[in-house]
Structures are given as structure tokens and as C-alpha cells.
Amino acid sequence: MILTVTLNTALDITYHVRELRPHASHRVTEVTERPGGKGLNVARVLAALGHEVSVTGFVGGVTGQALRDGLAHTPGVADALVPVSGPTRRTIAVVDTTTGDTTQLNEPGPQISPAEWSAFQEAYEILLRSASAVALCGSLPPGVPVGAYAQLVRTARALAVPVLLDTSGEPLRRGIAARPDIVKPNADELAELTGAHDPSQATRDARRRGAHTVVASLGARGLLARTPDGDWRATPPRTVRGNPTGAGDSAVAGLLSGLVERLPWPERLARAVALSAASVLAPVAGEFDRAAYEELLGRVGVTAEP
């Protein structure tokens, strides 16, 4: 079983409009509502790849119940969420169907009490005992200590469970010092962490801060990986246009599935890039265009970095 952790789960609402214009009223042409948050998106992609997945994190209130109801209809994903008193947040994505651009509005999330944080840590340790790998994903809700991911990384390492960390800012800075197996920042998060704007230098600096492997997401330019086994750059064969929300989460799913399947790094990276690109062609986060994925997978360019 692969475990994904989303401390700040969300009910994702996506609106499609013909053209998004400031200071104007808009007629919505399509709306979708589904369980969200980075780790839940990762879980859906992993399940679609045939892996058994459990999801955990905080959930509460009316939006939390709607999230759980939606999760109950997601094949291959088990609900191990921890209830809290505050309401689960909503995230709003507005997709301009003319340009393909997406505007994202993210609520902060519920206030988590010390007792709720303690209950989560107990549940997390129990889940880890049957996990083949764990992904720690996304932002922290109010009340959760900024060093939370560092603590969760250390718990996973103590139980010999490989851990991937995908967050940003101070939680990333503290979490990377706990020596996760993989961190997957994007270029901006990596620059904020290291102060280096050249991804090649920044990935080296991030490894020196504690991560065993750093996989940097470079958007349409693919992935750059610094690993104990070598360094690689993986590039998609073509640029795809669509909704990029969740593309990074699909890359995480590719990396995690490759890890538990013990694939060589070039194959893991090719899968991650192909899934990421195929997700841009899907209407909502946590899905990918399977035909596009299969077509792209064999054409991803993976080259060794000096």
C-alpha cells in the first residue's frame, strides 16, 4: 500500500468560462466538484496506474463530508482521513477555455488544535506500518507546527518507509533537513529554498541540505533529477496546452510508482514527465489522458547530466 498525506485537504471546485476578464460577470459553461489537495490528486493517479492507495490528512465540516462522499466513489483509494472540528477548505480553479489559462483561489484551511495534531500523528504511525512508501504533500493548515513535515519524515525513516516530500517555503526548508528520500520542488520553490536561480546549481544545493534525491519540476521543460545513482534531465517530446493544475501531482505519482516498482531512475523520470504532460490534457487535477500518456511515454527524452 502507498500512503499519501494531505494535511490541508480541499474540496476542489473548477469553473470553466469562455473568457476570464477582471471586473466582469461571467457565465460558467461547466463546473466540477471533487475531493482535492495535492496528496489526493497523487492518490487518484496512483490508483489509475493500478496501485493500492490510502489517503490521510485532516477533514471536517460540511465541505469535509462532501469530500469524503466523493472519495467513497474513487476506485482504488481508501479513506484514512482524520476528523477535525473545523471545516475543510475549498479551492476554486477558473479555467479560461479560450486561452487555456487557469486562475486558482485557495482558502487557508481549518484551525488544527494540538490534540487534533497529536491524534493525526498516532494515526499516521499506524498507517506507515503497512505502507511501501509515503508522500507528504502540500501546505499546512493553521495550527499545525511549521516543522510538521520534518517530524513526519523522521517517523517514516524510523520505520524504514521511503518518503517523498512535496511542499514549499519554511515547511520544505525544515523538512529537507530531516533527510527525505525524495523532494520534488518546482523551479520557484527551489530558488526560494536555495537562493540559486540556476536549476542545476539549486538542485545540488538542495541535496547538500539533506535530501537523498532532488527532482526539480521545470514546467514545460520537464524534470531535472539529482540522485545518489546519477543525474538526469527528462524532457517531454512536445508542448501540450490545457489545464496545468495537478500536473506536478501526477509527476509525484510517477516518481512514487517507479520507486515501489524499483524502476531505474531514467524510467521513473520518463513516467513522471509523461504523466505530467498527459494530466495537462485532462479536465481536472488527479486525472490524466491515458492515450496521450501511452503515446508520450516512449518519446520522453532522458539524458545524463554532467
Side-chain angles (χ1 to χ4, degrees), residues 109-136:
Q111 181 74 33
I112 305 300
S113 71
E116 289 168 338
W117 171 234
S118 179
F120 172 81
Q121 292 176 82
E122 292 176 10
Y124 171 71
E125 184 169 347
I126 292 169
L127 289 165
L128 281 177
R129 296 185 186 280
S130 57
S132 56
V134 59
L136 308 175

Side-chain angles (χ1 to χ4, degrees), residues 202-226:
T203 48
R204 290 190 181 94
D205 290 350
R207 276 205 74 202
R208 284 195 288 267
R209 289 172 179 264
H212 289 269
T213 291
V214 178
V215 181
S217 176
L218 307 179
R221 295 179 293 144
L223 299 173
L224 174 62
R226 302 282 182 195

Side-chain angles (χ1 to χ4, degrees), residues 155-170:
T155 302
R157 288 181 56 79
L159 294 170
V161 179
V163 56
L164 183 152
L165 177 62
D166 183 16
T167 188
S168 60
E170 191 62 21

Side-chain angles (χ1 to χ4, degrees), residues 34-35 44 66-77:
R34 62 184 318 173
R44 278 196 294 267
L67 184 153
R68 299 191 94 157
D69 291 345
L71 202 57
H73 297 93
T74 305
V77 178

Side-chain angles (χ1 to χ4, degrees), residues 47-66:
L49 292 172
H51 287 273
E52 178 187 351
V53 193
S54 290
V55 296
T56 192
F58 297 113
V59 67
V62 174
T63 48
Q65 187 57 56

Side-chain angles (χ1 to χ4, degrees), residues 89-106:
R89 66 186 179 133
R90 296 164 297 178
T91 65
I92 311 295
V94 183
V95 180
D96 184 319
T97 59
T98 301
T99 65
D101 292 337
T102 301
T103 299
Q104 193 82 16
L105 303 173
N106 298 329

Side-chain angles (χ1 to χ4, degrees), residues 19 21-27:
E19 181 184 7
R21 292 173 288 118
H23 317 299
S25 296
H26 297 80
R27 186 176 297 278

